[in-house]
Amino acid sequence: MPTQGSSFTNHPGIIDFKGSSYFFYHNGALPGGGGFTRSVAVEKFSYNADGTIPTINMTTAGPPPADTLNPYVRQEAETIAWGSGIETEPSSEGGMNVGFINNGDYIKVKNVAFGSGANLFTARVASTVAGSSVEVRSGSPTGPLAGRCTVPNTGGWQSWTNVSCPVSGLTGTRDLYLRFSGGGNYLLNMNWWQFGTGGLNRTPVAAS
């Protein structure tokens, strides 16, 4: 890989996944990035006929999706194709959660297979403020609004509860955006999310 992307190192690694090979690296291409403020990126590649690795250039598009994602089973909030403003941290419930969320931050998840359509969104959240929201959108962070879940003050950043809201217009396979809105300080933490098809009285598969 040539020296690209505003970083003087790339620290690469290779994995094989679902029959394809992927080259992971880092660069400093994001706003504010550089040699010591780096972001992870990945490119799909094929070995040369003699088994050597070809020259791989950095792209902004990244690889095509390796598969679709099932929104009707619990998905960890840190399942992210692209994110803006958010960070991750250890969760009191195990694993990681998404946190340090401000107004306008968002998560993008690619190639989500909604099939004939979802009508319910549930998220596992925690907060010390009331009135913030998780907006469910598609196409872009400001794309069509499919639904909005209001997040209450749960009493602590690791005091978790489930919130649910109706959604509409989510059919077929599309990119999902979870955009966060609210006041001027940190809004909420999110541990996982899940869509359903049974309406607001449906009990999520994932445990409370």
Side-chain angles (χ1 to χ4, degrees), residues 27-108:
N27 62 27
L30 291 178
F36 296 99
T37 48
R38 305 178 300 227
S39 302
V40 177
V42 59
E43 308 293 344
K44 183 179 179 180
F45 76 99
S46 297
Y47 288 93
N48 294 322
D50 62 359
T52 58
I53 300 171
T55 298
I56 303 170
N57 287 293
M58 299 182 186
T59 71
T60 56
D67 205 343
T68 57
L69 183 138
N70 181 0
Y72 300 111
V73 298
R74 170 175 158 169
Q75 297 290 344
E76 297 300 311
E78 63 272 19
T79 302
I80 299 170
W82 186 267
S84 177
I86 53 91
E87 299 180 34
T88 60
E89 64 179 355
S91 169
S92 64
E93 297 188 316
M96 305 292 286
N97 64 257
V98 170
F100 305 98
I101 295 169
N102 293 106
N103 183 57
D105 293 349
Y106 68 87
I107 292 168
K108 174 186 178 181

Side-chain angles (χ1 to χ4, degrees), residues 113-166:
F114 287 101
S116 59
N119 60 18
L120 178 72
F121 175 76
T122 299
R124 185 75 165 164
V125 296
S127 182
T128 64
V129 298
S132 58
S133 298
V134 181
E135 299 175 359
V136 181
R137 297 180 179 268
S138 63
S140 77
T142 57
L145 180 65
R148 178 184 284 112
C149 280
T150 301
V151 177
N153 182 340
T154 66
W157 292 112
Q158 294 292 320
S159 298
W160 299 97
T161 191
N162 292 358
V163 293
S164 295
C165 56

